[in-house]
Amino acid sequence: MSASANWTISSVRDALTAKKVSARELTDDYFGRIERKNSELNAFLTLSKDRAYKQAAAVDGLVAKGSSLPRLAGVPIAVKDVLSTEGVRTTCGSKILENYTALYDATAIARLEAAGAVLLGKTNCDEFAMGSSNENSAYGAVQNPAAPGRVPGGSSGGSAAAVAANLAVVSLGTDTGGSIRQPGAYCGIPAMMPTYGRVSRYGLVAFASSLDRIGPFAQTVRDIAEVFSVIAGWDQNDSTSANVPRPDYVADIDKPVSGMRIGVPDEYFAAGLDPEVRTKVEAGIALLEKIGCKRVSIRLPHTDYAIATYYIIATAEASSNLARYDGVRYGLRTNAATLSDMYRKTRRNGFGAEVKRRIMLGTYALSSGYYDAYYLRAQKVRSLIARDFAEAFGQVDAIVTPTSPVPPFKLGERTADPLQMYLADIYTVTGSLAGLPAISVPCGKTPEKLPVGMQIVGPHFSEGRVLQIANAFERAGGFAI
Ligand code: GLN
């Protein structure tokens, strides 16, 4: 077993069944890789060795008995540290939760483990998932394994880096305004944000509840479909989870895509798009045409308002969700003479600069006298953005865009200017506001060898179709255009 072996879910299954490797050996191998590489990458914050070896032993027990193996048996996985894990530290990349251990498992993790997956540990992320570069983590930045010296993207930077560096076969991230798709693009791997409500948010520490979603990173689109098939579906513990029928995403993945109408929005190829990113995404669209898709030019006229709308709604919801970290209920407490001083000092010491900025912005947008001018207006524009997409999907089956306007930037390059950082979310926040599913797939590299991502967006609950297009693209060689 080579230390750089590129395992996939099906190669793990085959090797276990043929007894070429045991789940225990595979787990050892992955912890060995993490040991060798994590000090440089900083992708993992906490390892869950006891839990991993217990699960590996259970899988090896099934193999020994000759029982049929569950779908993800023995597959080493990593999860973003905003997902609750019983008995394992859950920091959300924040000092305020440095010593917090969750009391229960997030539904998505419970489902992965019930399907036999081996949880290696929790991955680094921007504090409370607020960021686009992973530089807002209280535990330090993450290196991009595909572009040394550059950011891995954020906020799920650790989950993307772990898979890109082969420190886990698949991982989970969360996406509120781009945090799965953008790090997927920057690290050169596929990554999917499902439809809002498709995957239970139970056990996901809330950032902006009307936008937050959980989804997978993997090396292949097929593995994305495998993981998604396990985590998707209704959950009685999440009142916003949708009770809609679920196809078998893996069984349908090779269906032909010829004849599909692909919408290309003018607004996404305008000023601000890096020319090298444009060249690669155009080449990606040309490849889709070559395999039978039809290119259709479309308009999404409210795109210009998306960043402002997203940053009002997301910060408003965050200011409310983060009120619970008060030194009484969770994590850090800084003692002081009076109760209000204790609240203040705890929050001052526990939260980083970006989180504080957003709490202030969100509190302002929700305060009396400003609510109508900011929050309510943002909600109205959100409906207009969603309507743009609904109209476009009257003409096309899916929409193709760049994932990010720029390739991965240098560590430290944008930290001084938060607005500049926010602007890089332009192509991802729109689908977030509209609740749509979207996958980012690699579409080659710039001449400087920086990964570029292409985004495929579909109508609500059309993940099957989005995965088919992404899979056809991968099989046609699109990842390495
Ligand atoms: N970059 C966006 C933000 O900072 C998105 C974050 C996310 O999707 N969690 O809010």
Side-chain angles (χ1 to χ4, degrees), residues 23-102:
R24 191 195 162 86
E25 286 167 334
L26 204 55
T27 307
D28 277 342
D29 176 38
Y30 273 85
F31 280 128
R33 297 173 187 215
I34 294 170
E35 188 126 322
R36 286 190 295 277
K37 285 252 200 80
N38 198 53
S39 53
E40 168 204 335
L41 291 177
N42 200 22
F44 282 86
L45 295 179
T46 306
L47 299 180
S48 45
K49 289 198 174 175
D50 291 350
R51 196 162 164 154
Y53 281 110
K54 208 168 138 208
Q55 176 82 336
V59 171
D60 286 335
L62 290 176
V63 174
K65 276 195 282 176
S67 314
S68 73
L69 296 180
R71 195 160 193 162
L72 301 179
V75 174
I77 61 162
V79 301
K80 184 177 182 179
D81 207 16
V82 291
L83 291 161
S84 303
T85 38
E86 187 184 346
V88 177
R89 190 167 85 117
T90 300
T91 69
C92 297
S94 181
K95 249 176 73 182
I96 212 159
L97 292 179
E98 189 165 11
N99 297 313
Y100 170 66
T101 300

